[in-house]
Amino acid sequence: MALINEQYLKLPESYLFSEIARKIDAYKASHPEADIIRMGIGDVTHPLSETVVEALIKASKEMGKAEAFRGYGPEQGYDFLIETIIEYDYLRRGIHIDTDEVFISDGAKSDTGNIGDILSRDNRVAITDPVYPVYVDTNVMSGRAGNLLPDGCWSGLTYLPCTAENGFIPALPESCPDVIYLCYPNNPTGTTLTKKQLSEWVDYAREHDALILFDAAYEAFITEPDVPHSIYEIEGAKQVAVEFRSFSKTAGFTGLRCGYTVIPKELKGYTHMRGEVSLNSLWRRRQSTKYNGTAYVIQRAAQATYTSKGRQAIEDTIRYYLGNTEILLRGLKEIGLEAYGGINAPYVWLKVPQGFTAWSFFDRLLSECQIVGTPGVGFGPSGEGYFRLTGFGTKENTIKAVERMKEWSI
Amino acid sequence: MALINEQYLKLPESYLFSEIARKIDAYKASHPEADIIRMGIGDVTHPLSETVVEALIKASKEMGKAEAFRGYGPEQGYDFLIETIIEYDYLRRGIHIDTDEVFISDGAKSDTGNIGDILSRDNRVAITDPVYPVYVDTNVMSGRAGNLLPDGCWSGLTYLPCTAENGFIPALPESCPDVIYLCYPNNPTGTTLTKKQLSEWVDYAREHDALILFDAAYEAFITEPDVPHSIYEIEGAKQVAVEFRSFSKTAGFTGLRCGYTVIPKELKGYTHMRGEVSLNSLWRRRQSTKYNGTAYVIQRAAQATYTSKGRQAIEDTIRYYLGNTEILLRGLKEIGLEAYGGINAPYVWLKVPQGFTAWSFFDRLLSECQIVGTPGVGFGPSGEGYFRLTGFGTKENTIKAVERMKEWSI
């Protein structure tokens, strides 16, 4: 009798964004004329840059010629892309990464989701709260999260609350977890850690032989000098951290699918008998067994984002999105709402007015302003009372959204 | 202390194809002038068809325009592709599949590897032997395979030997496994099951509430009328089988990465308490949590393989590859070697001459004929004494390989 993985049954029925989509559909059905402004799901809206499209076309043409056709590529990615990544994303910042420490993938969601494959079910896992739901859900699936408690927390996870009260800086936990997910610049709060603050986490992990899973998907949005672009800017981080990167938000690849993961060779995990094992080797084995490489044409597109024209296009787009978060931050302040983030990330995290929950604010904002955002509680218990708006829309819609909220009597 | 998944440590050091690559590299280093004919790894050599390249280019251009740009797509794939698949691959054969029963992915390797996520570790798994190594290795990783025994078998797996003695038809196991992997047309043997033979498996699975994981990656190579293209041609199969399909070998997508998995809604798995759970729902949850969809441009390319020009190109290419296996089969027969498969699959499975092991045959064939194949034992213990050659090369090289073997005095 084929038995299922019963951990899946513990997951609440619907994923955050599906629930939002359902509510929007219901609203649209009863208000077909509504001009809805979507600032919910963190999807980009700017098209791919000319340079990227040209690279895609060039590579597609190659694939149609016998002499240039490429079949199976290396599971961990082509050297042309890995070497470009190392040069621009690391060497320029003084970080030395070897080619066999970079693994190209179809995105940070897959990698942050699949990384648990190489880790024991017995690890105690810590997450910041609120948090990107994939970290939680994938740990539920693998049995590390325990059971969902009435307060919205999973019994097996260690929560590190990040709220306005602590300036969104997670405190070092007293009982040390084995695996710690950190995402900076942060999704969903849009806040960051300074180099000094992140150093404390690296030191803590080194002291306790813990593993940091560092999600840097929003790195390209950093504007302030004191915010590290890579965890490997911190001394000793290679001994304790995996870093996830993505072209999704950086270069508009949400529909093209490309990211990469760095696992330094000196990074070790442990057996129950305290034997040291290279996580780089384990991940290589995982990827060569369960993944067959990222499409050649997509890797060429990713490479094109590093040309001078490609980088210029990214800078322009990111400046545009951050222009939107600036409009949002200013507008919300004028309305008298507290708002955070938005300076080094495409997300603005606002405190909902008193008397609201995150979901009741969602419902009112949708029905009265026709604006869609994301209820903070969807990202974890400490997100209750908060709400996420993104800068990924058009400038016109962002201005319009602020105007609607200004006229709104909540 | 970050603990690793210690199941990974049970895996032998190198994956079959890495070992072959190493041996080729070593040979090339000492014989730089050698004209090596590669008939080992099952990679295609024909470029993408014009129709597919045009679709890739068109979709790439769309992605560069604000009004046509697509960000995140549905995790399970776009309807335009799903509907095309259902029409051509199923409805034309009288099989009714709903749109929410098809999941587009980046290939059958990922899907056959990841499917274990939704299944309990406690399942007893059966594999045909020889077998595609991914089925075995992913079950080792998840702890279902037990330990590697001196005879090359894993203690926790049920082996269904397929050899010349039983005509490569696996016998129904006496003690019923919970999960059964079947791959037909078969990789590596190139053999098939008739509709009647596959029906016996479906009946067996229905009787025992077992789950069949049916890998139909080579379906497009079927030439004989009595060989089922889909397991759903068999009555009742929707209650017991998942079907995996791939564009890799069909349309030359090994470097583009696209496949799909069908999970009928009536297909159930079970909890330990014998509760029924929809595997379709579990897989949807798995994919929406750990996967972010296949690139839009790739899905458009896959769709183009179903146009009349696209299908013609596929037929031509497959006829070419099967022309090669015919040359191989005829040549090997003339040499006096027993060979199987090659009629409904791009693989020829030959019995190595007496006195050889699969690896010693590999070594001699490489050093004396400069031909690379795959030792059968790399696919499992029952592959010892066999050797796989593929039809994916050029016709010229296939003829040359046969000529070299004819002149070879083994």
Side-chain angles (χ1 to χ4, degrees):
Chain A
M1 196 165 70
L3 300 171
I4 62 151
N5 175 354
E6 294 187 33
Q7 302 295 339
Y8 273 66
L9 303 182
K10 296 179 179 174
L11 285 165
E13 190 54 40
S14 72
Y15 185 68
L16 174 61
F17 296 112
S18 325
E19 178 63 13
I20 292 173
R22 200 190 55 74
K23 281 181 177 263
I24 298 172
D25 286 347
Y27 183 78
K28 272 166 59 179
S30 55
H31 302 79
E33 78 303 335
D35 170 28
I36 295 174
I37 301 177
R38 290 166 185 269
M39 306 172 93
I41 194 163
D43 198 0
V44 298
T45 52
H46 270 211
L48 295 179
S49 73
E50 210 181 297
T51 318
V52 168
V53 173
E54 280 167 12
L56 270 176
I57 291 174
K58 182 163 178 272
S60 300
K61 287 180 179 167
E62 284 176 49
M63 292 288 280
K65 292 183 189 126
E67 65 280 11
F69 175 77
R70 308 231 191 178
Y72 290 124
E75 283 98 350
Q76 75 277 16
Y78 281 105
D79 279 346
F80 65 74
L81 178 56
I82 293 174
E83 284 164 7
T84 308
I85 284 167
I86 288 173
E87 184 184 341
Y88 283 95
D89 290 344
Y90 293 100
L91 216 47
R92 279 196 317 162
R93 298 188 188 283
I95 302 164
H96 292 265
I97 299 286
D98 287 342
T99 50
D100 56 359
E101 295 178 319
V102 177
F103 298 83
I104 309 297
S105 75
D106 68 336
K109 185 178 177 187
S110 305
D111 285 358
T112 56
N114 291 330
I115 192 78
D117 267 22
I118 64 168
L119 301 173
S120 166
R121 182 179 155 159
D122 299 335
N123 286 300
R124 287 161 306 161
V125 171
I127 52 158
T128 55
D129 174 27
V131 76
Y132 177 47
V134 166
Y135 311 156
V136 175
D137 291 355
T138 56
N139 277 293
V140 173
M141 290 170 171
S142 63
R144 287 185 205 101
N147 295 302
L148 186 56
L149 305 174
D151 65 0
C153 291
W154 290 87
S155 63
L157 299 180
T158 301
Y159 287 76
L160 310 169
C162 297
T163 61
E165 284 66 41
N166 64 11
F168 301 97
I169 310 301
L172 299 170
E174 282 171 31
S175 71
C176 187
D178 306 303
V179 177
I180 303 158
Y181 288 84
L182 295 177
C183 171
Y184 289 100
N186 187 254
N187 175 17
T189 67
T191 61
T192 53
L193 293 185
T194 63
K195 195 167 174 183
K196 186 166 171 300
Q197 287 161 343
L198 186 57
S199 297
E200 287 173 24
W201 280 97
V202 170
D203 294 344
Y204 178 88
R206 291 177 70 180
E207 198 180 317
H208 295 87
D209 292 327
L211 171 66
I212 296 176
L213 299 175
F214 190 74
D215 185 346
Y218 297 91
E219 169 274 335
F221 290 84
I222 295 171
T223 58
E224 293 181 320
D226 198 26
V227 177
H229 289 251
S230 163
I231 195 166
Y232 305 122
E233 290 179 34
I234 316 279
E235 207 187 307
K238 282 188 183 178
Q239 292 158 38
V240 291
V242 170
E243 181 161 290
F244 302 96
R245 294 278 191 108
S246 169
F247 294 93
S248 286
K249 309 302 165 75
T250 307
F253 272 46
T254 53
L256 270 196
R257 314 304 317 140
C258 195
Y260 66 88
T261 290
V262 179
I263 309 193
K265 280 174 285 192
E266 59 202 278
L267 178 59
K268 307 290 179 194
Y270 300 88
T271 64
H272 281 86
M273 301 296 286
R274 295 180 168 262
E276 289 188 352
V277 180
S278 156
L279 292 185
N280 180 291
S281 308
L282 294 186
W283 185 246
R284 183 173 310 280
R285 190 60 194 251
R286 194 265 167 213
Q287 292 299 83
S288 64
T289 304
K290 296 194 189 181
Y291 188 61
N292 231 335
T294 304
Y296 170 69
V297 298
I298 305 291
Q299 292 192 61
R300 282 293 185 201
Q303 183 191 27
T305 66
Y306 291 96
T307 60
S308 70
K309 273 180 70 184
R311 282 179 294 151
Q312 190 57 54
I314 287 174
E315 277 172 34
D316 293 347
T317 302
I318 286 179
R319 196 176 303 120
Y320 181 93
Y321 291 144
L322 288 178
N324 289 342
T325 56
E326 203 184 325
I327 291 166
L328 279 172
L329 283 172
R330 203 183 320 120
L332 293 167
K333 201 173 168 186
E334 286 170 19
I335 297 164
L337 290 171
E338 279 176 54
Y340 307 92
I343 294 166
N344 301 293
Y347 299 123
V348 170
W349 190 244
L350 72 92
K351 210 162 167 27
V352 302
Q354 248 182 343
F356 280 93
T357 65
W359 274 112
S360 71
F361 187 78
F362 173 93
D363 292 333
R364 285 277 297 276
L365 194 66
L366 173 59
S367 64
E368 295 175 13
C369 297
Q370 291 80 50
I371 296 171
V372 176
T374 312
V377 71
F379 299 101
S382 294
E384 183 53 281
Y386 293 89
F387 199 79
R388 193 186 76 173
L389 292 172
T390 89
F392 286 128
T394 61
K395 186 177 175 182
E396 296 67 34
N397 274 345
T398 309
I399 291 170
K400 205 196 284 183
V402 167
E403 281 168 1
R404 286 187 193 171
M405 289 174 79
K406 280 185 181 171
E407 287 163 20
W408 185 31
S409 50
I410 36 172
Chain B
M1 196 165 70
L3 299 171
I4 61 150
N5 174 354
E6 294 185 33
Q7 302 294 342
Y8 273 65
L9 303 183
K10 295 180 180 174
L11 286 164
E13 190 55 40
S14 72
Y15 185 69
L16 173 62
F17 296 112
S18 324
E19 179 62 13
I20 291 173
R22 200 191 55 73
K23 281 182 178 262
I24 299 172
D25 286 347
Y27 182 79
K28 272 165 61 177
S30 55
H31 302 79
E33 79 300 334
D35 171 26
I36 296 174
I37 301 177
R38 290 164 186 270
M39 307 174 92
I41 193 165
D43 199 359
V44 299
T45 52
H46 270 210
L48 296 179
S49 73
E50 210 181 298
T51 319
V52 168
V53 172
E54 278 167 13
L56 269 176
I57 291 174
K58 181 162 177 274
S60 300
K61 286 180 180 168
E62 283 176 47
M63 292 289 279
K65 290 181 191 128
E67 65 280 12
F69 175 77
R70 308 232 191 176
Y72 291 122
E75 284 98 350
Q76 74 277 17
Y78 281 105
D79 279 346
F80 65 75
L81 178 55
I82 293 174
E83 284 163 7
T84 309
I85 284 168
I86 288 173
E87 185 184 340
Y88 283 94
D89 290 344
Y90 294 100
L91 217 47
R92 278 196 318 161
R93 299 189 186 282
I95 302 164
H96 292 265
I97 299 286
D98 287 342
T99 50
D100 56 359
E101 295 178 319
V102 178
F103 297 83
I104 309 297
S105 75
D106 68 335
K109 185 177 176 188
S110 305
D111 285 357
T112 55
N114 290 330
I115 193 77
D117 267 24
I118 64 168
L119 300 174
S120 167
R121 183 178 152 160
D122 299 334
N123 286 301
R124 287 160 306 160
V125 171
I127 52 159
T128 55
D129 174 27
V131 76
Y132 178 46
V134 166
Y135 311 155
V136 175
D137 291 356
T138 55
N139 278 294
V140 173
M141 290 171 172
S142 63
R144 287 186 205 101
N147 295 302
L148 186 57
L149 304 173
D151 65 359
C153 291
W154 290 87
S155 62
L157 299 181
T158 300
Y159 287 76
L160 309 169
C162 297
T163 61
E165 284 67 41
N166 64 9
F168 301 97
I169 310 301
L172 298 170
E174 282 170 31
S175 72
C176 186
D178 306 302
V179 177
I180 303 158
Y181 288 84
L182 295 178
C183 172
Y184 288 98
N186 188 253
N187 174 18
T189 66
T191 61
T192 52
L193 293 185
T194 62
K195 196 167 173 184
K196 184 164 173 300
Q197 288 161 342
L198 187 57
S199 297
E200 287 174 25
W201 280 97
V202 170
D203 293 344
Y204 178 87
R206 290 177 71 181
E207 197 180 319
H208 295 87
D209 290 330
L211 172 67
I212 296 177
L213 299 176
F214 190 74
D215 186 346
Y218 297 92
E219 170 273 334
F221 290 84
I222 294 171
T223 57
E224 293 181 321
D226 197 28
V227 178
H229 288 252
S230 163
I231 194 167
Y232 305 123
E233 291 179 33
I234 317 276
E235 206 187 309
K238 281 189 183 177
Q239 291 158 38
V240 291
V242 170
E243 181 162 290
F244 302 96
R245 294 277 192 110
S246 169
F247 294 92
S248 285
K249 308 303 164 73
T250 309
F253 272 46
T254 53
L256 269 197
R257 313 305 316 138
C258 195
Y260 65 88
T261 291
V262 178
I263 309 193
K265 280 174 286 190
E266 58 203 276
L267 178 59
K268 307 290 179 195
Y270 299 88
T271 63
H272 281 87
M273 302 296 286
R274 297 181 167 261
E276 288 189 352
V277 181
S278 155
L279 293 183
N280 179 291
S281 306
L282 294 185
W283 185 247
R284 183 174 309 282
R285 190 59 193 252
R286 195 266 167 213
Q287 292 299 82
S288 64
T289 304
K290 296 193 187 180
Y291 188 61
N292 230 334
T294 304
Y296 169 70
V297 298
I298 306 292
Q299 292 191 62
R300 282 291 185 201
Q303 184 191 26
T305 66
Y306 291 95
T307 59
S308 69
K309 272 180 70 182
R311 282 179 293 151
Q312 189 56 53
I314 287 174
E315 276 173 34
D316 293 347
T317 301
I318 286 180
R319 195 176 304 121
Y320 182 93
Y321 291 144
L322 287 179
N324 289 341
T325 56
E326 202 185 326
I327 291 166
L328 279 171
L329 283 172
R330 200 183 321 123
L332 292 167
K333 201 174 168 187
E334 287 170 18
I335 297 166
L337 290 172
E338 279 177 51
Y340 307 92
I343 293 165
N344 302 292
Y347 299 122
V348 170
W349 188 244
L350 73 93
K351 209 160 167 31
V352 303
Q354 249 185 342
F356 280 93
T357 64
W359 274 110
S360 71
F361 187 79
F362 174 93
D363 291 334
R364 283 278 296 278
L365 194 66
L366 173 60
S367 65
E368 295 175 13
C369 298
Q370 290 79 51
I371 296 171
V372 176
T374 312
V377 70
F379 298 101
S382 294
E384 182 54 282
Y386 293 90
F387 199 78
R388 193 187 76 173
L389 291 173
T390 89
F392 286 127
T394 61
K395 184 176 175 183
E396 296 68 34
N397 274 346
T398 308
I399 292 170
K400 205 195 284 182
V402 168
E403 281 168 1
R404 285 187 194 171
M405 288 174 79
K406 281 187 181 170
E407 287 163 20
W408 186 30
S409 50
I410 34 174

